[in-house]
Amino acid sequence: MRTSVTLLLALAAGAGLAHEGVENPAVMARMGLMKDIGAATGTLGEMVKGEVAFDAGRAAAARAALVEAADRVPALFEARESDPKSEARPAVWEDWDGFVVRAEAMQAATRGLETGSAAALRASFADLGASCRACHEDYRLKD
Ligand code: HEC
């Protein structure tokens, strides 16, 4: 658990420079969506790790951002857009149904996030982290 949160935070923090030089606006848009997902996940992960104090209001806002962003994933990835800087594998489009299954798993995990207390957040956060990894493993070059 601790390790996966650390990895997630590294993922969220590392997102900034990846956009440098991206020319295709459709690729930029989907990377930007993932970057926002990384940022909101990082906000929650810091609370789960105890790096920042639990704050129910901030946690609820991050959850809401994640629910909304997760719903947009299929639409932003559906067109087969490419860019030399993209980290998406061809598998996204060659196995589109599998990609959508992973996106739906993340949608369910974002809805399952409980932000009423630090303990509830910690318990529900693991599924979210697992949903990122499950997709990145097969559909993203890094990770
Ligand atoms: C359904 C598949 C899928 C899920 C679920 C998913 N991702 Fe991604 N993610 C991708 C793909 C594909 C890319 C590469 C996009 C590209 O470079 O064109 C990516 C890229 C990223 C990036 C790099 C963005 C950038 O700046 O280039 C971050 C950060 C990221 N994901 C975070 C997350 C986090 C955190 C989660 C879980 C809360 C998550 N992702 C869940 C498929 C997914």
Side-chain angles (χ1 to χ4, degrees), residues 15 23 27 32 36 40 43 49 57 59 65 75 79 87 98 105 108-109 117-118 126 135 137 143:
E23 283 165 13
V27 172
D36 293 346
T43 298
K49 274 187 88 180
E87 292 165 3
S117 72
C135 188
E137 214 167 68
D143 212 322

Side-chain angles (χ1 to χ4, degrees), residues 96-112:
W96 177 248
D97 290 350
F99 183 85
V100 170
V101 167
R102 305 299 202 291
E104 287 170 354
M106 174 167 63
Q107 290 163 4
T110 59
R111 283 172 174 77

Side-chain angles (χ1 to χ4, degrees), residues 25-49:
V27 172
M28 183 67 113
R30 73 188 185 213
M31 287 172 124
L33 179 69
M34 279 294 156
K35 191 178 170 227
D36 293 346
I37 288 172
T41 302
T43 298
L44 295 178
E46 283 170 0
M47 291 185 205
V48 166
K49 274 187 88 180

Side-chain angles (χ1 to χ4, degrees), residues 3-13 38 41-42 45 125-126 128-130 132-133:
T3 310
S4 68
V5 173
T6 304
L7 282 174
L8 274 176
L9 290 180
L11 181 67
T41 302
F125 188 76
L128 180 72
C132 315
R133 278 191 304 279

Side-chain angles (χ1 to χ4, degrees), residues 57-138:
R58 285 186 68 217
R63 178 192 183 278
L66 282 167
V67 167
E68 197 254 341
D71 284 348
R72 296 175 58 213
V73 168
L76 262 73
F77 278 83
E78 190 165 11
R80 187 169 186 158
E81 298 283 351
S82 57
D83 187 282
K85 296 272 182 175
S86 172
E87 292 165 3
R89 289 182 195 256
V92 171
W93 302 280
E94 286 162 9
D95 177 30
W96 177 248
D97 290 350
F99 183 85
V100 170
V101 167
R102 305 299 202 291
E104 287 170 354
M106 174 167 63
Q107 290 163 4
T110 59
R111 283 172 174 77
L113 284 168
E114 291 176 25
T115 56
S117 72
L121 176 62
R122 195 172 301 120
S124 58
F125 188 76
D127 275 357
L128 180 72
S131 78
C132 315
R133 278 191 304 279
C135 188
H136 288 177
E137 214 167 68
D138 291 335

